[in-house]
Amino acid sequence: MRSKSVLLAIGTVVAACATATKFDMSPTAPSPDRRLGLRAGWMNAAQAAWNLRLVSAAPKPAQFTDDTNPGDFGFLNSDLAFTGHYVIQGNFHGLQVWDIAQPAKPVLVTSYVCPDAQNDVSVYRNLLFVSGEDFNGRLDCGTQGVADSVSKDRMRGIRIFDISDIMHPKPITAVQTCRGSHTHTLVVDPNDKANVYIYVSGGAPVRSPNELPGCSDLAPDKDPNSERFRIEVIQVPLAHPEQAHVVTKPAILADLTEPAVHGEAPEDIAAAAKAAAEARAKGGFTATFFGTEHVLRPRFVAAQLDSIVKARGGSGAPTAADSATLRANVQAIIDKIFNPSPAPGPKPGPVQCHDITVYPALGLAGGACAGYGVILDIRDPANPRRIAAAADSNFAFWHSATFNNDGTKVLFTDEWGGGLAPKCRVTDKPEWGADAIFTVAHDTMTFRSYYKLPAPQTSNENCVAHNGDIMVQGWYQGGVSVFDWTDPAHPKEIAYFDRGPMDSTKLVGAGSWSAYWYNGYIVSSEIGRGLDVLELVPSGLLSQNEIDAAKLVHFDYLNVQDQPKLVWPASFAVARAYLDQLARSNGLAPDKVAAARTALARAERLSGQQRRDALTQLATQLNSDSQGTPDQAKVRMLAATVTDLANGSGAGRAGL
């Protein structure tokens, strides 16, 4: 899900505010940071913004909210997809569809109850795809859950809906997968108009073959059809989506070894030990993984106890003896999930990816695969092939990936703490739970820098790098951060929006799950509160011309994991935006920038042959001026845009 390059170069921009508004034109962030010390609250938390304006904040509908517990895990908002003037928002309780034709007044047009985790969404034409991996997720979307450890009623995989009538999504089919689907990626093959493909990233344990035949959690040397180290690829025939099926299971993670990772922060180790001791004292179940003892979730425990009951041929509620059996074996069960190879030699690397961003125009994908960031060749979309991999001991969990517009850089996020922990405290290292930026050349990734939210958050705010487009990123309760990573070694924050924590006394999960630019606005999925719509405003770091140019990029639909190549039409707005960037970066001498501005403004007032002649003359001068300038490439791109204007070309330019 999520990035491009420079604000203009990516299109991560939005509509300008009214001209009467006073803007902060300083290139320096306010000090002290406005995000520090914000008042807590559910729908009335204090807010802080810099170079961003909150256009609207639509609350979650009542049926997707637990009034007694606003952080209820079963009602968390998740990811977003866009089609026309609609936003489809996933939620652990189902789906919501918002009409944002008037961004200041989002209208909820559909709420579809279907409890599952995480209900991540993507769209293509009249089709909606939804991820599910919860042990309680049902094929019929029922709210009663699934009690049995093996059941024909369980759905773990991809649901497909017909949204020709978006107010009434119609189930078409569900494609069952062996690990379920934590997230998924829609892949549109430029050379295959008859199908779309779904890359499935499943984070749950492998299902029993008694529930889904063919599923195997054995090591590959014991079963060549093992699910380990693979993703599942679903082919969806567009003429007959009901025939969607798993077509391949490429082993993109085969042969990687376990990477080095950092330990937990001292206060987190102490807190985990205390929680584990308290749970054990009350009869709870704990186990150690990733070097720390954790309290096991009730649903996981219930499923294991049910399996023990079934294994002894029993039925009904588990007995004390069943609990004792689980207690004696739970560590071995966890070891099998998180450390599945007892063989001698180096331990294997991750067995699954968390998220994959595809860039079909370049034939590439970036996979964030728990312990590694990988680059894939996807020119044959049914058979993706790993061509590069990188590990980093400062990363705990590689979570998502984004390319810049020309594919020369890739950014990976680190979901340290799993998303529901406070990892942006003043005591947390800035390189932990951050973004890592790499340059990409063929099959080589080269690390350049980290970027982390610069404002420390409290221990009552879950915060870590999560989803967003390249410049716009959700940080859970760290809010939304907009940053420029045109220079991969020196990323710089240029705007932000944040709220205070949900509760001033304890951590209650909330904040921006994801924040994406779509047709002039930034739309953020607020985990505990609803849907936010924001807009960027002119500043000393982003001009009105750049905002106007970015608004020229329009999508009919958008899945951020299916990254489109952005092309800007030849326009005076784009040319002026280039000049603003050159002036800000000193990429062209000030007198030459001023002369070019004057010549461009004069040409815009002309018409016909006079305009063409004036633009041709300006392009010639710019090409001459580019020699020896600090940013020769950008001056030449400006000259090319001016030439396109002179020739009346509307094809546009992709490189900004």
Side-chain angles (χ1 to χ4, degrees), residues 213-301:
C215 297
S216 170
D217 194 31
L218 296 174
D221 61 344
K222 295 183 173 60
D223 183 352
N225 296 315
S226 169
E227 295 299 317
R228 297 185 194 176
F229 316 115
R230 301 177 182 275
I231 62 171
E232 292 173 283
V233 179
I234 296 173
Q235 183 185 60
V236 184
L238 294 174
H240 293 282
E242 73 280 0
Q243 297 176 9
H245 63 285
V246 175
V247 65
T248 58
K249 297 184 179 184
I252 63 171
L253 301 176
D255 305 322
L256 293 175
T257 58
E258 183 180 55
V261 296
H262 63 77
E264 286 295 329
E267 57 265 51
D268 294 330
I269 294 174
K274 180 181 178 183
E278 291 174 349
R280 278 188 272 102
K282 297 176 182 178
F285 292 84
T286 69
T288 299
F289 48 97
F290 301 131
T292 303
E293 186 178 11
H294 295 269
V295 180
L296 300 178
R297 291 180 177 175
R299 286 186 180 181
F300 175 83
V301 171

Side-chain angles (χ1 to χ4, degrees), residues 325-346:
T325 298
L326 177 59
R327 202 173 304 282
N329 293 279
V330 70
Q331 186 62 57
I333 295 170
I334 292 296
D335 287 344
K336 183 179 179 182
I337 296 171
F338 290 100
N339 184 24
S341 177

Side-chain angles (χ1 to χ4, degrees), residues 31 73 108 199 266 289 311 353 370 390-391 409 451 454 498 506 513 533 594 601:
S31 182
F73 202 87
L108 182 70
Y199 289 175
F289 48 97
C353 286
K409 290 174 283 189
Y451 173 80
D498 191 19
K506 62 181 183 295
W513 178 286
V533 181

Side-chain angles (χ1 to χ4, degrees), residues 577-592:
Y578 273 132
L579 283 168
D580 289 349
Q581 292 176 349
L582 287 165
R584 192 165 55 237
S585 66
N586 295 314
L588 184 65
D591 61 323
K592 295 186 183 298

